[in-house]
Amino acid sequence: MSESTKFHSVQDAFYAGGLIAYPTEAVFGLGCDPDNSDALSRLLALKQRPASKGLILVAADYSQLLPYIDDKRIPQERRFEIFSKWPGPITWLLPKSERVSDLLCGDSDLIAVRIPDFAPVRELCRALTKPIVSTSANVSGMPPAITAADVIQQLGRGVDWLVDVPVGGNASPSKIFNAMTGEQLR
């Protein structure tokens, strides 16, 4: 993990509303505390991304996602497919809980969530004891950051903590499916 002049640890940065850049399976992600609306607003402004598009949450396991999901609305017949794809590079759109900010899910009543099989992301979520927002670490419309140097070049001082570990070997970002219908969106 990178040293920071403002924070002593990734946990300090995260819980103070900082933006964290970290490696995912294919690209660097940019994240923050999903319960901190100031951090969410700052992340969207740094990326120049409209809030209406929504963001993804990554987690170490399903239990970390439960506060953000309306689990009882997931049809029983869809559960096997959802859980059989995790951990892995599949992002599911699931019914959001009432506590979820519109900054996190955009105009949708679904929230995008993933349990990756990439150990550094799961370890980060375990260290933070909760999910982290996951969007590509780049300005919207620019190529996603593949290295820590790319993150610094595009986002510079907007990032409060950089987890300087190589990305995984996946050639493309996660696939996104609507868990309620099975439709692939990306």
Side-chain angles (χ1 to χ4, degrees):
M1 290 193 195
S2 165
E3 292 300 315
S4 169
T5 55
K6 287 173 42 176
F7 300 104
H8 298 291
S9 69
V10 67
Q11 292 92 341
D12 289 347
F14 181 79
Y15 286 107
L19 302 184
I20 313 296
Y22 57 94
T24 69
E25 299 92 334
V27 299
F28 263 81
L30 182 65
C32 64
D33 183 343
D35 297 313
N36 185 321
S37 59
D38 290 338
L40 289 167
S41 294
R42 202 170 138 230
L43 181 145
L44 292 168
L46 180 64
K47 278 192 60 79
Q48 300 172 26
R49 178 184 175 96
S52 61
K53 287 189 169 186
L55 299 162
I56 296 172
L57 286 184
V58 291
D61 54 52
Y62 189 68
S63 66
Q64 284 190 336
L65 295 171
L66 285 172
Y68 305 90
I69 295 169
D70 188 349
D71 185 70
K72 64 186 174 297
R73 287 186 43 216
I74 302 170
Q76 193 61 38
E77 66 272 10
R78 300 292 305 148
R79 289 177 180 275
F80 177 76
E81 184 177 7
I82 294 165
F83 296 122
S84 70
K85 304 287 189 206
W86 280 341
I90 303 295
T91 296
W92 291 104
L93 297 176
L94 296 174
K96 71 176 183 175
S97 72
E98 290 181 10
R99 74 177 271 182
V100 173
S101 165
D102 289 344
L103 293 174
L104 195 55
C105 64
D107 297 335
S108 179
D109 63 348
L110 303 174
I111 185 166
V113 294
R114 182 170 81 249
I115 300 171
D117 58 2
F118 188 57
V121 175
R122 293 177 75 191
E123 290 168 10
L124 178 62
C125 293
R126 281 188 193 100
L128 299 172
T129 68
K130 68 189 300 186
I132 187 170
V133 169
S134 186
T135 185
S136 58
N138 63 311
V139 174
S140 292
M142 299 294 291
I146 306 296
T147 66
D150 293 343
V151 172
I152 293 165
Q153 181 182 14
Q154 278 202 54
L155 303 176
R157 296 178 192 261
V159 173
D160 298 299
W161 192 272
L162 176 62
V163 180
D164 192 356
V165 175
V167 298
N170 290 13
S172 60
S174 66
K175 294 179 182 174
I176 300 177
F177 291 89
N178 182 322
M180 307 306 276
T181 65
E183 174 189 8
Q184 184 173 347
L185 305 171
R186 174 175 82 183

